[in-house]
């Protein structure tokens, strides 16, 4: 999981140009960072929890970045993807057979019918909301996209820790979400004035049911 | 019990009864074990079927769940559901529901609200009524159960999620549980299947009749323990399985088939038992008849024997036990016949002579017409006793046989000859008048007059005949015989050959007859006593002797003189027992007095029979020796008539007695026919003149002459002359003057007891002479 998280961070680098504006807005006010540790009430670190900061006042800067959710080894990678509204997401198929990605979630209903390789057009998530992704021909394949309306978000790693950097000081509503959460956590008002802040959060999460995949024969599926 | 009255029935009833019992037991056991086998087998099948049904229900549910899952996984279905368009959703639900035969289709929100319901289209959302199912589905992905829905029908309900790929909604599918379902389960399990829920039987594979029967008793039927159940007259084993919270599956296993098999077996056994019993009835009756038939024949034979019919032989049919019994009966029959023959002979025949006996004679007489004239004659032999005594019984017996034969020779036709007893014979002759009776008597006596020759010895028995007539002298046998007997004695006394009962009177009064029987008791009871009458020497006026006189101290009749019973004692022969006793008493008394100084000669009377008894001499010898008496101390008085019975034998016995030294006296001299020449030859010492002469001495010159001449004659023969019956002083004086040696009589002294005699002697010694 850790390398996957790293991977994702790496993916974001190509969008530095876009981020310059944001950084500029942030720098003008003096940037802050927020570190969060999310654990279950039992104390287990919660991975793939989304931490989102919505500014209480003002409109956050818009972004039209790109993201990628791969289909690899009959799984979606990553499991959770957080994107800002308007982000186009590619669904490259790395498997030697086709996939059929779909979503019936109201935030984004779409379907990429049986395809191989990388589809020509990415899917643009233009509404905030939670989107569950599935593959019509591989029932166990599951991924989540959280579409937010803010550039300040992060997701916890395997250690349950997430860090949001370069957040302009100000008042924010901190939203904690997890695809398998049991009940929604209440938003937290966070006033970010200092350079960095650390928060410990509790969230009850159902364990991920790992469905055993049917075996792949040598000859492929 | 009438059933057991005959052996035949008893055998048959016992045999058949036993067989019936055995058969019933067998049938009972077969029925019992049949029931047990049916029950066990049925329970086994039921429990196997129940497992089967249970598995089927589970598998069914899994398949439904699977089918529902597959359906809910259908992309286009999910897509349609995702449209949120109610009309579309309803339509797709109906469409996809029909694919898998679901009658009810619902979509639930994740929060458990019924969003769309094919049963209630267009109705607002409402909570899903089966929250348990939902909870189960939430925890394990999907769930299924049986429940009653709002439409009142029982449904197999499956709840599966719609995954896209996360759970976005629930789909509920309801499959009605109906008869078709029950029939299918019934086919798969081999049992009858019914589903019972509140409100009755919801589904059943049973026929309508049985189904309605089940409706009536569903409450008792619904047990989870197997139990017996009767529906519409058919037997079932039933068990109920839980089927959702509100329903149960009732499984019925019909016992009909197994029962039919056993019923068939029972029928076969019943037929065998019936046939067996019938055969047994026939067989045992046959056997019983074979046994009882000969037994009945034996019973009939026994009845014949019972009534005295010995003529028919008992048939011996078979060599078995009954044959042996028949053989036994046969030998019994011949044995009884011969014994009865013998008994008849013993009863009716005199064994010595072979003649009919008294009983036979009585029967003959009784058999005659009571009014018809008949003659009963009794013959007594005159000289049988002396012959018997002298020559012994064997000779006497043969003599009687000869007499019998001779009498038979003169028997008139239509008559019967019988031997009464001893030397008496009797005749019964029908239709005889006095004249022909006399003729018969004459012929008979003539026949007897001829001596009978035995071993070369001629024996002259002679006989006297008494004749009685019926009805003139009596009607019954006893009366006639008595009359004839009395007449016979009379004839014997008078030596007239024969006498007719009508001429001699009635004979001794009955009391004397009974006396004969009493005499034996009298001897035992010491009722006989001896009185002594002194004999006085007329010359010296001294008592020189005494005559012992027998008296019977009879308990009712008082003191009886010998004249009233001695004749009967002589007739019956009882005298033979009296005489030895009397002689013993006299000898003892003589000895006693001698010791006391009373020296008198004691005289005892002997009858003719005593005199002819050959043992008399021996007895006298023994008595003298026993009492140490001089022979001359005793005197034996013998009547003239006694001597005349058998003069020869009497003479020889007298000679022997005289040789011993005993004094002998002729008693009642002058009354009999003894000739002087005979008296002369006798070895006697004394002559006692019959008292009939003495009583009339002073009145009858003839008697006085006889007495005087007798005294003279006696003296001439060297005999002492005794006069008895002296009743007056005149007589005494006359006799003393006539030279009579000794006197005896009331005038001198009456007979008295021994002690009185002693006193009398003492008194005489003290007082002056008479």
């Amino acid at each position: 999981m850790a390398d996957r998280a790293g991977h994702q961070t790496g993916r974001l680098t190509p969008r530095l140009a876009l981020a310059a504006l944001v950084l500029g807005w942030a720098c003008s006010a003096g940037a802050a960072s927020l570190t969060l540790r999310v654990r279950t009430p039992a104390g287990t670190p919660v991975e793939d929890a989304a931490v989102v900061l919505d500014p209480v006042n003002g409109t956050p800067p818009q972004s039209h970045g790109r993201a990628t959710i791969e289909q690899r080894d009959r799984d979606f990678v990553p499991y959770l993807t957080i994107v800002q509204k308007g982000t186009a997401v590619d669904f490259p198929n790395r498997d030697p057979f086709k996939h059929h990605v779909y979503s019936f979630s109201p935030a984004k209903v779409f379907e990429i019918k049986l395809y191989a390789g990388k589809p020509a057009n990415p899917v643009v998530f233009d509404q905030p909301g939670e989107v569950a992704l599935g593959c019509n021909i591989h029932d166990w394949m599951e991924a989540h996209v959280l579409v937010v309306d803010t550039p300040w978000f992060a997701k916890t790693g395997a250690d349950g820790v997430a860090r949001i950097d370069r957040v302009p000081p100000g008042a924010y509503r901190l939203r904690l979400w997890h695809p398998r959460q049991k009940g929604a956590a209440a938003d937290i008002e966070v006033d970010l004035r200092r350079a960095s802040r650390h928060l410990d959060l509790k969230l009850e999460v159902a364990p991920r049911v790992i469905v055993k995949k049917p075996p792949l024969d040598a000859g492929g599926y | 019990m009438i059933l057991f009255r005959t052996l035949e029935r008893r055998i048959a009833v016992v045999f058949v009864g036993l067989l019936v019992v055995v058969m019933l037991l067998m049938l009972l056991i077969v029925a019992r074990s049949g029931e047990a086998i049916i029950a066990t087998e049925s329970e086994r099948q039921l429990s196997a079927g129940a497992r089967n049904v249970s598995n089927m229900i589970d598998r069914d549910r899994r398949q439904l769940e699977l089918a529902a899952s597959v359906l809910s996984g259908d992309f286009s279905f999910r897509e349609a559901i995702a449209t949120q368009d109610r009309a579309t959703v309803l339509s797709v639900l109906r469409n996809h529901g029909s694919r898998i035969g679901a009658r009810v289709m619902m979509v639930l929100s994740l929060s458990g609200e019924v969003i769309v319901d094919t049963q209630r289209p267009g109705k607002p959302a409402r909570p899903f009524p089966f929250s348990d199912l939902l909870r189960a589905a939430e925890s394990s992905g999907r769930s299924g159960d049986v429940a009653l829905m709002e439409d009142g029908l029982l449904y197999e309900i499956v709840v599966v999620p719609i995954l896209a790929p996360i759970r976005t909604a629930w789909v509920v599918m309801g499959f009605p549980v109906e008869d078709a379902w029950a029939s299918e389960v019934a086919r798969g399990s081999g049992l009858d299947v019914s589903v019972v829920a509140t409100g009755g039987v919801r589904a059943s594979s049973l026929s309508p009749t049985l189904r309605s029967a089940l409706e009536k008793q569903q409450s008792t039927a619904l047990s989870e323990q197997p139990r017996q159940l009767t529906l519409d007259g058919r037997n079932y084993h039933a068990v109920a399985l839980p089927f959702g919270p509100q329903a149960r599956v009732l499984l019925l296993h019909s016992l009909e088939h197994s029962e039919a098999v056993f019923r068939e077996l029972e029928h076969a056994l019943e037929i065998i038992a019936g046939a067996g019993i019938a055969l047994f009835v026939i067989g045992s009756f046959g056997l019983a008849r074979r046994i009882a038939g000969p037994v009945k024949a034996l019973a009939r034979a026994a009845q014949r024997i019972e009534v005295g019919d010995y003529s028919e032989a008992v048939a011996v049919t078979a060599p078995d036990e009954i044959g042996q019994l028949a053989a036994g009966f046969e030998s019994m029959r011949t044995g009884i016949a011969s014994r009865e023959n013998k008994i008849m002979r013993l009863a009716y025949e005199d064994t010595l002579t072979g003649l009919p006996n008294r009983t036979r004679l009585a029967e003959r007489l009784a058999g005659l017409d009571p009014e018809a004239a008949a003659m009963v004659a009794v013959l007594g032999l005159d000289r049988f006793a002396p012959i018997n005594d002298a020559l012994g019984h064997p000779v006497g017996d043969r003599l009687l046989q000869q007499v019998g034969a001779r009498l038979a020779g003169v028997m008139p036709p239509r008559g019967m000859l019988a031997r009464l007893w001893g030397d008496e014979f009797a005749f019964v002759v029908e239709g005889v008048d006095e004249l022909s009776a006399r003729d018969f008597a004459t012929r008979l006596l003539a026949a007897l007059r001829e001596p009978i020759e035995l071993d070369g010895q001629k024996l002259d028995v002679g006989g006297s005949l008494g004749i009685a007539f019926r009805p003139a002298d009596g009607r019954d046998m006893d009366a006639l015989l008595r009359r004839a007997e009395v007449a016979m004695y009379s004839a014997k006394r008078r030596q007239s050959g024969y006498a007719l009962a009508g001429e001699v009177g009635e004979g001794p009064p009955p009391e004397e007859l009974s006396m004969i029987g009493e005499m034996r008791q009298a001897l035992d009871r010491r009722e006989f006593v001896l009185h002594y009458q002194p004999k006085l020497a007329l010359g010296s006026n001294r008592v020189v002797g005494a005559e012992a006189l027998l008296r019977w101290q009879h308990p009712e009749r008082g003191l009886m003189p010998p004249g009233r019973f001695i004749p009967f004692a002589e007739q019956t022969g009882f005298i033979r027992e009296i005489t030895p006793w009397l002689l013993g008493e006299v000898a003892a008394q003589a000895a006693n007095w001698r010791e006391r100084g009373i020296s008198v000669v004691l005289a005892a009377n002997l009858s003719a029979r005593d005199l002819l008894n050959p043992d008399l001499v021996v007895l006298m010898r023994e008595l003298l020796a026993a009492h140490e008496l001089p022979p001359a101390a005793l005197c034996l008085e013998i009547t003239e008539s006694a001597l005349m019975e058998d003069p020869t034998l009497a003479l020889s016995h007298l000679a022997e007695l005289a040789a011993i030294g005993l004094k002998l006296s002729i008693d009642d001299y002058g009354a009999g026919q003894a000739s002087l020449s005979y008296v002369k030859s006798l070895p006697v010492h004394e002559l006692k003149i019959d008292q009939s002469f003495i009583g009339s001495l002073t009145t009858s010159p003839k008697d006085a002459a006889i007495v005087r001449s007798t005294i003279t004659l006696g003296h001439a023969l060297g005999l002492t002359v005794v006069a008895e019956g002296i009743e007056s002083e005149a007589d005494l004086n006359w006799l003393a003057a006539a030279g009579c040696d000794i006197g005896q009589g009331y005038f001198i002294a009456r007979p008295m007891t021994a002690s009185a005699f002693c006193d009398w002697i003492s008194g005489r010694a003290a007082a002056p002479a008479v």
Side-chain angles (χ1 to χ4, degrees):
Chain A
M1 282 296 174
D3 60 338
R4 198 188 287 179
H7 216 96
Q8 192 183 1
T9 317
R11 289 278 147 73
L12 290 171
T13 46
R15 297 172 206 148
L16 282 175
L18 183 78
L21 185 86
V22 177
L23 284 171
W25 183 78
C27 287
S28 66
S33 76
L34 179 64
T35 310
L36 297 118
R37 180 194 290 265
V38 182
R39 281 180 293 191
T40 63
T44 317
V46 177
E47 190 186 11
D48 287 330
V51 185
V52 180
L53 289 173
D54 289 306
V56 176
N57 301 307
T59 310
Q62 295 298 307
S63 158
H64 299 284
R66 268 181 107 93
T68 301
I69 299 174
E70 294 181 353
Q71 289 85 57
R72 184 197 295 270
D73 293 338
R74 294 179 288 165
D75 254 328
F76 288 111
V77 180
Y79 173 70
L80 172 65
T81 306
I82 309 169
V83 294
Q84 192 168 7
K85 183 174 76 177
T87 304
V89 179
D90 287 312
F91 288 91
N93 180 359
R94 313 283 184 213
D95 280 329
F97 36 76
K98 294 182 177 175
H99 285 288
H100 178 165
V101 179
Y102 70 90
S103 160
F104 298 134
S105 303
K108 183 68 188 178
V109 176
F110 75 94
E111 183 181 3
I112 309 170
K113 290 190 176 159
L114 291 166
Y115 65 94
K118 186 179 171 185
N121 300 316
V123 177
V124 177
F125 290 83
D126 43 13
Q127 279 182 49
E130 300 149 17
V131 177
L133 302 178
C135 173
N136 189 28
I137 60 172
H138 300 106
D139 286 350
W140 60 91
M141 285 173 68
E142 176 186 336
H144 294 271
V145 177
L146 181 65
V147 185
V148 296
D149 200 9
T150 171
W152 302 295
F153 54 81
K155 68 171 181 176
T156 57
D159 55 357
V161 175
R163 183 187 171 92
I164 308 172
D165 288 319
R166 287 187 298 276
V167 183
Y172 293 88
R173 258 192 309 275
L174 181 122
R175 182 151 63 104
L176 183 62
W177 180 86
H178 191 278
R180 300 191 307 275
Q181 68 184 21
K182 293 178 171 175
D187 289 353
I188 303 167
E189 298 285 336
V190 179
D191 195 4
L192 283 178
R193 308 234 167 151
R194 284 177 293 164
S196 84
R197 183 133 178 226
H198 183 86
L199 282 174
D200 271 325
L201 298 174
K202 298 272 185 243
L203 185 65
E204 202 169 346
V205 174
R208 183 172 178 190
V209 179
I210 307 294
V211 179
K212 200 174 177 193
K213 300 176 216 175
L216 273 176
D217 279 342
Y221 213 73
Chain B
M1 268 178 79
I2 272 179
L3 267 183
F4 292 102
R5 195 159 288 165
T6 64
L7 183 61
E8 211 172 284
R9 285 199 187 164
R10 208 173 320 161
I11 292 171
V13 166
V14 167
F15 271 71
V16 173
L18 283 177
L19 184 72
V20 167
V21 167
V22 169
M23 287 295 182
L24 284 180
L25 277 178
M26 189 184 75
L27 286 175
L28 192 70
I29 287 167
V30 167
R32 274 275 178 87
S33 50
E35 275 169 25
I37 289 169
I38 288 171
T40 316
E41 177 60 16
S42 143
E43 252 176 63
R44 198 183 61 72
Q45 289 195 14
L46 188 64
S47 66
R51 276 197 303 279
N52 204 356
V53 168
S54 208
N55 290 338
M56 281 171 78
I57 290 172
D58 283 350
R59 200 175 58 223
D60 213 30
R61 180 166 300 158
R62 277 199 304 278
Q63 277 180 354
L64 284 179
E65 286 174 4
L66 193 63
S69 298
V70 167
L71 183 66
S72 76
D74 183 86
F75 186 75
S76 50
F77 179 76
R78 282 184 292 181
E79 200 172 16
I81 298 290
T83 61
Q84 306 274 339
D85 174 22
R86 279 184 164 235
T88 311
V89 169
L90 185 62
S91 173
V92 80
L93 280 179
R94 286 196 170 134
N95 176 60
H96 281 72
S98 70
R99 284 190 190 172
I100 60 170
R103 189 175 298 170
V104 173
M105 293 286 281
M106 294 180 197
V107 172
L108 311 183
S109 71
L110 288 180
S111 60
E113 296 239 289
V114 180
I115 302 164
V116 184
D117 184 349
T118 55
Q119 298 288 87
R120 299 152 62 97
K123 293 282 168 66
R126 62 194 169 96
F128 182 55
F130 308 106
S131 53
D132 285 354
L133 268 175
L134 195 61
R135 263 198 298 283
E138 274 166 356
S139 72
S140 56
R142 59 195 183 199
S143 67
D145 206 345
V146 176
L148 283 168
M149 284 215 171
E150 286 97 329
D151 61 0
L153 295 178
L154 197 66
Y155 285 89
E156 181 96 46
I157 298 173
V158 175
V159 179
V160 292
I162 297 175
L163 297 169
I166 58 160
R167 197 183 287 158
T168 54
W170 298 101
V171 174
V172 176
M173 303 183 200
F175 304 88
V177 177
E178 289 172 327
D179 288 356
W181 180 87
S183 301
E184 197 181 320
V185 177
R187 271 196 300 281
S189 64
L191 302 173
D192 275 314
V193 177
S194 303
V195 178
V196 183
T198 38
V201 177
R202 299 297 175 149
S204 180
S205 63
L206 294 170
S207 69
T209 337
L210 290 171
R211 186 176 171 146
S212 62
L214 178 61
E215 290 271 11
K216 283 175 201 144
Q217 51 189 117
Q218 48 173 298
S219 58
T220 54
L222 291 177
S223 162
E224 290 181 23
Q225 291 302 314
R227 63 167 54 185
Q228 283 258 27
L229 186 68
T230 305
L231 287 184
D232 196 28
R234 293 178 220 192
N235 291 327
Y236 291 91
H237 247 107
V239 71
L241 302 179
F243 194 47
Q246 293 152 303
R248 288 189 187 182
V249 174
L250 178 65
L251 304 176
L252 296 177
H253 178 252
S254 171
L255 304 183
E256 211 167 350
H257 178 68
S258 346
E259 279 177 344
V261 171
F262 271 97
R263 211 162 295 137
E264 223 164 87
L265 176 63
E266 276 175 9
H267 278 314
L269 284 177
E270 277 160 14
I271 289 167
I272 291 170
I277 288 169
L279 281 176
F280 243 67
V281 168
I282 295 166
S284 54
F285 265 107
L287 177 67
R289 201 157 289 158
R290 284 242 301 279
I291 294 172
V295 171
K296 278 185 193 162
L298 287 181
R300 281 195 295 273
Q303 279 168 358
R304 282 200 304 276
I305 292 171
E306 185 190 347
V307 300
D309 174 10
Y310 308 108
S311 57
E312 197 175 321
V314 180
V316 180
T317 48
D320 57 11
E321 287 87 341
I322 295 190
Q324 291 165 20
L325 185 62
F329 263 62
E330 174 59 13
S331 65
M332 185 178 81
R333 181 191 69 86
T334 54
I336 289 178
S338 81
R339 265 197 305 285
E340 195 179 86
N341 205 2
K342 197 167 163 189
I343 288 167
M344 290 290 279
R345 266 193 283 118
L346 286 174
Y348 289 115
E349 196 175 272
D350 174 52
T351 48
L352 180 63
T353 58
L355 294 173
N357 61 9
R358 187 190 184 100
T359 311
R360 180 80 188 85
L361 190 76
E363 281 199 358
R364 173 64 181 271
L365 197 66
L368 299 180
D369 177 2
E371 299 304 321
M375 174 195 81
V376 175
V378 172
L379 173 77
L381 297 182
D382 284 343
R383 282 173 291 278
F384 175 72
I387 294 171
N388 197 37
D389 289 342
L391 302 180
H393 290 297
V395 175
D397 289 349
R398 282 165 63 206
L399 178 62
L400 287 172
Q401 289 168 350
Q402 293 284 329
V403 169
R406 190 167 291 183
L407 294 177
V410 294
M411 253 299 295
R414 302 182 18 150
M416 175 181 272
L417 167 63
R419 179 174 171 231
L420 292 182
W421 49 271
D423 58 358
E424 284 188 18
F425 295 83
F427 300 85
V428 169
V429 185
E430 290 175 62
V432 176
D433 60 9
E434 189 184 320
L435 197 65
S436 55
R438 285 182 188 278
D439 177 51
F440 165 70
T442 311
R443 280 192 293 117
L444 183 76
L445 293 174
L448 276 183
R449 212 164 289 135
E450 199 70 26
I452 288 169
E453 197 170 322
L454 276 180
D455 303 333
Q457 197 176 357
K458 288 194 173 173
L459 300 172
D460 190 6
V461 285
S464 299
L465 192 65
I467 300 172
F469 293 100
R470 195 171 78 165
D473 297 320
R475 291 189 184 276
D476 64 72
M477 177 72 179
D478 283 343
L480 289 167
L481 273 181
R482 194 176 68 238
R483 293 295 301 275
E485 216 162 12
V486 168
M488 182 269 283
Y489 281 119
S490 168
K492 189 174 273 192
R493 264 199 306 280
R494 289 184 290 151
Q495 299 194 326
S496 57
Y498 70 89
L500 299 184
E503 293 169 350
V504 300
E506 292 287 327
E511 60 149 31
E512 294 186 349
L513 291 176
S514 73
M515 203 185 291
I516 297 169
E518 290 170 355
M519 277 192 290
R520 179 175 296 275
Q521 288 182 341
L523 192 59
D524 293 339
R525 293 177 188 163
R526 309 195 66 83
E527 286 172 6
F528 289 122
V529 290
L530 289 178
H531 284 195
Y532 297 90
Q533 188 170 38
K535 281 178 162 178
L536 185 72
L538 297 179
S540 60
N541 199 26
R542 277 180 51 236
V543 176
V544 293
E547 183 182 359
L549 295 165
L550 187 60
R551 296 285 185 273
W552 184 358
Q553 191 67 53
H554 195 280
E556 288 151 24
R557 300 190 187 113
L559 199 63
M560 284 164 60
R564 283 180 60 191
F565 61 90
I566 286 299
F568 304 106
E570 287 186 336
Q571 277 175 28
T572 57
F574 187 66
I575 192 73
R576 291 189 190 190
E577 290 183 48
I578 294 181
T579 304
W581 171 82
L582 184 142
L583 291 174
E585 285 287 299
V586 169
Q589 191 61 64
N592 177 281
W593 282 338
R594 256 167 204 277
E595 272 177 26
R596 293 159 64 176
I598 302 169
S599 182
V600 290
V601 176
L602 289 188
N605 292 287
L606 288 186
S607 72
R609 194 155 284 196
D610 295 328
L611 183 61
L612 299 177
N613 184 350
D615 297 334
L616 180 66
V617 177
V618 180
L619 175 67
M620 291 313 297
R621 277 209 186 97
E622 285 171 0
L623 286 174
L624 290 174
H627 297 285
E628 296 176 348
L629 283 173
L634 296 179
C635 173
L636 298 176
E637 298 187 5
I638 302 116
T639 60
E640 215 182 3
S641 59
L643 287 170
M644 294 318 289
E645 286 238 329
D646 189 342
T648 321
L649 193 61
L651 182 59
S652 78
H653 282 176
L654 283 180
E656 283 184 65
L657 292 169
I660 294 172
L662 289 163
K663 293 187 80 173
L664 299 172
S665 172
I666 303 291
D667 204 0
D668 299 341
Y669 182 75
Q673 294 94 14
S675 64
L676 272 177
S677 62
Y678 178 66
V679 170
K680 184 189 74 179
S681 66
L682 293 175
V684 299
H685 310 91
E686 198 178 82
L687 203 61
K688 288 184 90 172
I689 302 167
D690 193 276
Q691 53 188 337
S692 61
F693 298 106
I694 306 302
S696 51
L697 263 184
T698 49
T699 53
S700 165
K702 280 185 184 172
D703 284 349
I706 291 168
V707 170
R708 191 184 302 277
S709 63
T710 304
I711 293 169
T712 310
L713 187 69
H715 285 168
L717 291 172
L719 302 172
T720 309
V721 179
V722 180
E724 50 181 338
I726 299 171
E727 294 185 352
S728 66
E729 193 174 10
D731 293 340
L732 182 68
N733 291 336
W734 190 94
L735 286 165
C740 181
D741 303 298
I742 293 170
Q744 186 183 347
Y746 282 9
F747 181 71
I748 298 163
R750 286 172 167 266
M752 55 194 115
T753 61
S755 59
F757 185 85
C758 276
D759 295 344
W760 184 81
I761 289 278
S762 310
R764 254 187 79 87
V770 178

